[in-house]
Every structure is written in structure tokens, then in C-alpha cells.
Amino acid sequence: MFDVKITGGTVVDGTGAARFAADVAIKDGKIVEVRRRGPGDEPLGGEAAETIDATGRIVAPGFVDIHTHYDGQVSWDSLLEPSSNHGVTTVVAGNCGVGFAPVRPGREQWLIELMEGVEDIPGTALTEGITWGWETYAEYLDVIERRELAVDIGSQVAHGTVRAYAMGERGARNEPATEDDIAAMSRLVREAAEAGALGFSSSRTLAHRAMDGEPVPGTFAAEEELFALGRAMAAGGAGVFELAPQGAAGEDIIAPKKELEWMQRLGSEIDCALSFALIQVDADPNLWREQLDISAAAHEAGSRLHPQVAARPFGMLLGFPGHHAFTHRPTYRKLKAQCSREELAARLAEPAVRAAILAEEDLPLDPNILFDGMFALAQYSGDRLYHLGEPPDYEPTADRTVASIARERGQELLPTMYDLMLEANAAAMLMLPMFNYSDGNHDAIREMMTHPAGVLGLSDGGAHCSMICDASYPTFLLTHWARDRHRGDKLPLEYVVRKQSHDTAQLFGLSDRGVIAAGKKADVNVIDMDALTLHAPRMAYDLPAGGHRLVQGASGYDATIVSGVVTRRHGADTGARPGRLVRGAR
């Protein structure tokens, strides 16, 4: 008697091997049989509590997203959306040197403001949503372990929290660490690894700053500190040193290659994987290729350097629900303060209101509004601001820029921008690709994704709530890269599945998942590839304290299974919560 049988499907097993027809049987949270079927073969026998007819469907492993920021959201959201509705069955949090443990009593709000500044998660939502009940990292994991979730979650211990805990205000303000400070931090990191941290994360890019403008603790850490913490991580049994390196956002084009030099030496010494953010930057559009070459040479020399790459352009979405170019117009400000969201959308469409907003000058900028739409307007003047559309086009041609559309319509830039954002009841989004689009297409991204050292990540699930929704990467990989791309070469479905299941799981030593095979954890997706659709991003207002976030839906997932339990059926949450904490060494 099986718990679940999946019959008649085509298995893409996660190894990269060619797809094959097979039935899959699941019992007690594991895959117990994969019965290949040829012409005339008998189907898999035996009764099952539930049988899923996968005829005409792809049966693939659950996806493993290694770069999320659900560190706080896990406290209140058992679904961990938007990742869980894109076939993701395991997430890894604690990236980029920020997290919520360890924490000194009374310093909780400081950690919230650090996370809010770096990852654009509303501080009010974190303040209201997090139920604190820990001081040490081990206690934090114990709290997560008591949660019943729709997906599994693992965590990394963050440099920022460790430094602030061990050094207090000196650590928070990035003062140099003494030998005693480094020893104290090393103990914390080793204890966290022994308790089950999957890795250690750090941020060294000046683009990551707390709400008060201070860079993430550890940004300027000396090599002695970094190596000591890497050794402590390895000694405790954790396997990945993750970081956003200096110059990652293009603020310095010399530093990235210097960073790779010490990373390569550290990787060789501790025999652990190092994963670093890699994106194409306009300041040096070919720097990423040099970094890939260095990583390949490092692998040949025995150091596991893994560039962590994104599946599509990296930037922000602009629209009336979030950041946009009219934020500082007096009429817009007045209406936003007075109207409900529905009323605001209706008023913005009124000709008199439109004319008033377009005719006004901006009020003084509010320095507390991060990434204001005025930044996009001033920097790119519409020539790199694209109409995203429905369904969203993430590889648009030059004729889809706001500037091109304005010329075609015989309008000025701002009226065109306004009218495009009015679409979909004033909920339409414009895309500003700041990174990974220097060439105006996805060819560089494809080369990054196919590099043997490259690993897929950077989705930032749970973060950058008002700017992006890249937690939808898994669906985008299946639709755009494996099926729909029209401006260049696609990628085989088998490769796309492997890159976000087997490969991401293996990086963190999660060898029990990421593959459809007997004995593996029963994390499975049943996907209607013909119907699979990635919908346009929209703003939701469902965070604690009324906080907002961009979400992006998908259709075409017939079923998502976690530990043998169906958690989503035809896109709808079943209410099942088999997801649990994933510990590392322990």
C-alpha cells in the first residue's frame, strides 16, 4: 500500500539524464520505486491512498532555492510564499550576512533595521510578525524546528549577527576586530554549525546597508577574521561559505578579482564550497567572464568556487503600487494619503488628476524612500525602462522601452510612463534591469548558467518586497529557458531541472533530495509544461502590520509534493504542512 502513486508521467529525474516514461511510488516520505515503462509494459501495481494521473505531464524533483531571506517570515508564514507556489520544496535562508540570530536581548530592533535596510523587508512587518524566543543561533533553530511548514527550510549563520553579538556596538559599526573578538566570533560560528547551520554568510558590498546607512557588519573585515570564521564553520561541520563580494554591484570593478584570490586560498584550506554573487555590471560588462574563468581555474586547482548566478536580469519593478517617478508630485502624495488603494487607482485614471500630476514639479526628495522611481528616471531617461506586459517579458527588445513607446505614440516620456503604469487598473509594472542586461539580451546570463562552476541562486525569496519578485525563478527557468525563449538559444529541460534541484541540493550537502530515484526524499513536482504560465507580478498587502510585497503567481503545477505529502494541487494550497527544519552537520 503506497501513500502516493504518480502514473503515466514523463520523468525528468534531476540528474540531467534524458527524460523517460515511468510511474513513481511514494511511501513514508520517500520514493520507493521508479518503474520505467516501455511500449506494452504493465503499469506499476499496488494500491495507493492517492493516485495522480500524470499523463502528458513532467514529473520532476522539488526545487531547492539556496538564496532566500525567509529568516523572519518563517516565524509567521507557514507557506513561505512566494517560493512555495513555484515548485520549491526546500529553501535556504541566512544569506548575505544578515539574519536574526544570535541576538543580545534588547538588540532585536537593531537586527530588524539591518534586515530592512539590506533586504527591503518592511520593518513594521518584521516587528509585528516575528515571535522572538531565542538568543543563541542553536535556540533560533530550535524555534524553527517547532514550526510546521509547507516547505523545508535550512539556514546559514550570518556574519552581521555574529559580529554584533560578539563585539557589540564596535562590531555593528565595522570597527576592526581584535584577536579576542575573532576568537569569540569563531566560537559562535562553530557552535552554530554544530547546531545545524548549513553554512556561513557574509556581505562585503557597499550596496548592502542598514537603515541608518551603516554597511553590514563584516563589510570591511580583514582577512584574518574571514579565514578564522571560515575555519570555524568547517570545524563545526557546515559546508558553504556564502558572500556578496566587494564590487558585486559594480561599485568597484577592481575588487571582485581581488576577492576571488583570497576566496580561492580559503577554499583550498578548509575544503568547503564558497559561493559568491555574480552579475553583469554596466561599469565593466565583461568582468563576469573573467570571474568565471578564475573560478574554473580554482576548481582545477582543488578550490570549490561557485559563482552564484541569476536566471534573468537583476533590477527593480516600477509602478503605482510601489516605487515610481511621480512619488513626489503634490497631487499624487495628497491622493495617496487620502484614498484607499482602490480609490487611488480610479482617481489616477481621471484626466484632470493625470494632467495635474504631470504638470507639477517634484517636492523635495525623502531620503528615507529607498530606490525612488526618480532614480530610474534620472539615470535612464526611459531608454532602459521596459514595459513588462502580461504575460511578462523579461527579455524585451529595444522597441519595448518606455522611450521607444513614447516616440511611437508621439508623446513625451512622462505621459507615456504614466499611461503604461495605469494599465491593469493602475497595477502594471515597468522593468528597470540594472544588472545582467548590458547587452540588451540574455546571452550573458545563459553563459553564466551553463558554466560548470556556476550555481543558480540570487532569487532573494522573501526580500526586496517593494522592488522585485525573483522567487519566481523556478517557473521562469521552465517557461523562458526551456520552452519559450525567442531571442537566442534555449536550454534543455533536463538541464534546467538539474540546475535547480540536484545541483543546488548538492552544494549544501543535501544529498537526500533533488533527484527522482528510489530511496530519495519524496519532494516531487507534477508539471503541465504546455500550460505552465508565469503571471505578471502584482502588489499584495498581506504582510503583518499591513505591509506590502510583490508576488507573482504561476499556473500549470498539477501537484507539488513535500516528504510524500501533496502541499499544492493545481496551484492551490492543500493545507498540509510537512515541511521542517533542515539541519546540517548534526
Side-chain angles (χ1 to χ4, degrees):
M1 181 70 180
F2 303 122
D3 296 327
V4 179
K5 275 203 314 184
I6 304 170
T7 61
T10 299
V11 173
V12 177
D13 68 5
T15 66
R19 66 194 74 181
F20 56 90
D23 300 333
V24 178
I26 295 169
K27 187 173 179 60
D28 297 331
K30 292 186 179 297
I31 298 169
V32 293
E33 188 171 355
V34 179
R35 174 76 63 85
R36 291 186 181 238
R37 290 181 293 100
D41 286 349
E42 290 294 320
L44 178 66
E47 298 296 320
E50 178 175 359
T51 298
I52 298 174
D53 182 3
T55 303
R57 306 297 192 256
I58 292 296
V59 180
F63 304 132
V64 180
D65 188 338
I66 61 171
H67 194 113
T68 76
H69 293 279
Y70 291 117
D71 311 77
Q73 189 173 328
V74 68
S75 180
W76 72 77
D77 178 18
S78 63
L79 278 172
L80 292 185
E81 289 182 324
S83 291
S84 62
N85 63 340
H86 291 281
V88 172
T89 54
T90 303
V91 299
V92 178
N95 287 280
C96 299
V98 291
F100 292 113
V103 57
R104 295 279 184 193
R107 293 288 283 172
E108 293 87 353
Q109 187 59 35
W110 179 83
L111 286 181
I112 286 174
E113 291 177 5
L114 177 63
M115 183 68 78
E116 181 179 13
V118 173
E119 301 300 341
D120 184 35
I121 304 172
T124 52
L126 294 170
T127 299
E128 182 171 304
I130 296 176
T131 303
W132 298 89
W134 62 85
E135 178 174 348
T136 69
Y137 186 85
E139 291 168 346
Y140 172 69
L141 292 186
D142 290 342
V143 169
I144 295 178
E145 193 163 44
R146 293 194 288 270
R147 296 281 290 149
E148 296 182 350
L149 306 165
V151 301
D152 286 352
I153 184 171
S155 178
Q156 300 164 100
V157 61
H159 197 173
T161 59
V162 166
R163 207 171 201 273
Y165 189 93
M167 297 175 59
E169 193 64 25
R170 290 186 302 110
R173 296 299 169 193
N174 277 296
E175 294 183 17
T178 66
E179 287 186 13
D180 288 343
D181 293 331
I182 293 174
M185 286 188 280
S186 297
R187 285 193 297 272
L188 292 171
V189 169
R190 178 164 183 164
E191 289 168 1
E194 290 173 344
L198 298 182
F200 168 83
S201 76
S202 185
S203 173
R204 293 169 59 76
T205 173
L206 293 176
H208 285 165
R209 294 176 181 269
M211 291 299 289
D212 63 2
E214 181 69 27
V216 175
T219 298
F220 309 109
E223 187 173 298
E224 291 80 6
E225 180 177 339
L226 295 167
F227 272 60
L229 300 182
R231 295 182 193 112
M233 179 200 79
V240 178
F241 189 116
E242 185 272 338
L243 76 157
Q246 289 182 10
E251 73 275 19
D252 183 335
I253 61 173
I254 303 299
K257 286 186 285 187
K258 292 182 178 179
E259 293 281 85
L260 284 169
E261 191 277 329
W262 70 256
M263 282 191 272
Q264 182 173 352
R265 286 189 286 110
L266 177 60
S268 296
E269 178 183 331
I270 65 175
D271 191 26
C272 289
L274 280 85
S275 181
F276 64 95
L278 177 65
I279 51 179
Q280 183 187 46
V281 298
D282 287 354
D284 187 346
N286 292 309
L287 178 60
W288 61 272
R289 189 173 281 114
E290 296 179 62
Q291 292 172 276
L292 285 179
D293 290 343
I294 294 171
S295 299
H299 273 266
E300 292 179 5
S303 183
R304 289 179 283 156
L305 288 188
H306 291 278
Q308 194 172 135
V309 302
R312 65 187 184 213
F314 218 75
M316 62 185 293
L317 300 176
L318 305 177
F320 283 123
H323 303 291
H324 56 84
F326 308 103
T327 301
H328 301 292
R329 301 292 167 97
T331 298
Y332 177 81
R333 280 197 181 180
K334 180 180 177 181
L335 290 174
K336 185 172 176 60
Q338 294 176 345
C339 298
S340 67
R341 292 190 296 273
E342 295 77 13
E343 292 170 338
L344 178 61
R347 295 297 308 277
L348 289 171
E350 294 176 5
V353 170
R354 175 183 180 275
I357 291 175
L358 289 172
E360 291 170 346
E361 296 292 327
D362 292 311
L363 294 169
L365 296 181
D366 182 349
N368 294 319
I369 297 179
L370 300 176
F371 296 101
D372 191 284
M374 290 301 297
F375 169 80
L377 182 64
Q379 292 292 317
Y380 296 98
S381 301
D383 288 315
R384 196 162 172 177
L385 189 58
Y386 294 86
H387 184 220
L388 193 59
E390 171 71 87
D393 183 358
Y394 288 94
E395 194 177 13
T397 50
D399 62 338
R400 290 183 61 84
T401 66
V402 176
S404 294
I405 295 171
R407 288 191 290 270
E408 181 183 339
R409 293 181 178 182
Q411 287 182 316
E412 295 295 323
L413 180 68
L414 284 178
T416 303
M417 188 181 301
Y418 191 104
D419 294 342
L420 291 173
M421 293 193 305
L422 270 183
E423 294 178 3
N425 197 29
M429 293 289 172
L430 307 177
M431 179 180 73
L432 175 66
M434 295 176 176
F435 309 108
N436 280 358
Y437 216 63
S438 300
D439 305 318
N441 59 46
H442 288 183
D443 290 349
I445 300 171
R446 189 183 188 280
E447 191 170 337
M448 293 181 205
M449 289 173 56
T450 55
H451 190 274
V455 63
L456 278 170
L458 304 182
S459 81
D460 279 328
H464 301 295
C465 298
S466 66
M467 295 187 292
I468 64 171
C469 186
D470 288 345
S472 61
Y473 276 173
T475 305
F476 178 78
L477 282 156
L478 297 172
T479 53
H480 175 80
W481 283 109
R483 190 189 68 192
D484 298 336
R485 190 180 185 217
H486 59 277
R487 296 189 60 199
D489 293 337
K490 301 174 187 176
L491 291 168
L493 177 62
E494 289 85 349
Y495 183 82
V496 165
V497 169
R498 191 196 91 195
K499 290 295 286 185
Q500 58 180 328
S501 56
H502 171 273
D503 289 5
T504 45
Q506 287 295 315
L507 178 68
F508 279 90
L510 305 178
S511 57
D512 63 335
R513 66 197 70 200
V515 174
I516 302 290
K520 297 295 184 179
K521 188 171 182 287
D523 293 349
V524 183
N525 283 305
V526 180
I527 307 168
D528 184 346
M529 280 296 296
D530 293 333
L532 189 65
T533 302
L534 179 62
H535 302 297
R538 63 178 180 83
M539 193 68 77
Y541 301 85
D542 57 357
L543 291 178
H548 62 275
R549 59 174 177 162
L550 283 165
V551 297
Q552 194 164 16
S555 52
Y557 290 96
D558 282 10
T560 296
I561 299 170
V562 177
S563 294
V565 178
V566 179
T567 56
R568 299 189 81 92
R569 191 176 282 110
H570 298 292
D573 171 34
T574 65
R577 298 291 182 267
R580 295 295 184 268
L581 172 71
V582 179
R583 292 187 190 262
R586 198 168 80 177

